[in-house]
Amino acid sequence: MFSDELNALRRMGLRQALLQALNFCNVIASGLMMWKGLGLITNTESPIVVVLSGSMEPAFYRGDLLFLTNPVNEPYLVGDITVYKIPGEEIPIVHRVIESHYMADAPLNQEVLTKGDNNPQDDILLYKNLKWLERQHIVGKVRGFLPYVGYVTIAMPR
């Protein structure tokens, strides 16, 4: 099976093989540029995330693809669904804001408390040594979703 592809590559010739490799690199580079461009437009490091758990059911289910923005001049309101990352943790968490307060009357100096819709209590235990989430921990606000489209990434082996 693999030997057939290797033979086809040998028949292709050096010039054609290099052209194929260059086209492949072009596709990869274009995808990365689109990802970074989307991140700049939405002001978030991760403009698209996949729901990995059932903590937000029935709003979002495992495998739903979420589209995020991180508005600079807009505070997070109670009821907004946010994606946040705890320092030292790799996997972002998708939960709803249940409380919010401002530090020194500045709307951009905000702290929030979150909770999964399907969880019995708030996320304060998930925050480790933090009492509230600060804006710097929030990856973005959910603006839209596609149901089950991201399930492919969950099914792939790590």
Side-chain angles (χ1 to χ4, degrees), residues 14 28 44 53 91 93 118 156:
L14 180 63
I28 298 297
T44 181
S53 75
I91 299 174
I93 299 171
N118 202 22
M156 290 188 320

Side-chain angles (χ1 to χ4, degrees), residues 39-89:
L40 285 172
I41 291 168
T42 60
N43 191 38
T44 181
E45 68 185 55
S46 195
I48 299 172
V49 296
V50 176
V51 177
L52 299 176
S53 75
S55 67
M56 279 303 291
E57 292 178 6
F60 301 119
Y61 292 90
R62 188 174 151 91
D64 288 354
L65 194 68
L66 306 179
F67 301 100
L68 310 178
T69 63
N70 194 5
V72 178
N73 297 322
E74 187 178 319
Y76 290 96
L77 305 174
V78 171
D80 285 345
I81 299 172
T82 61
V83 176
Y84 65 89
K85 285 175 89 174
I86 300 298
E89 298 291 326

Side-chain angles (χ1 to χ4, degrees), residues 86-87 89 111 123-134 137:
I86 300 298
E89 298 291 326
E111 294 180 325
D123 294 343
I124 206 143
L125 294 176
L126 294 176
Y127 299 165
K128 297 195 177 178
N129 294 329
L130 302 171
K131 289 188 178 183
W132 296 78
L133 284 179
E134 298 172 11
H137 302 124

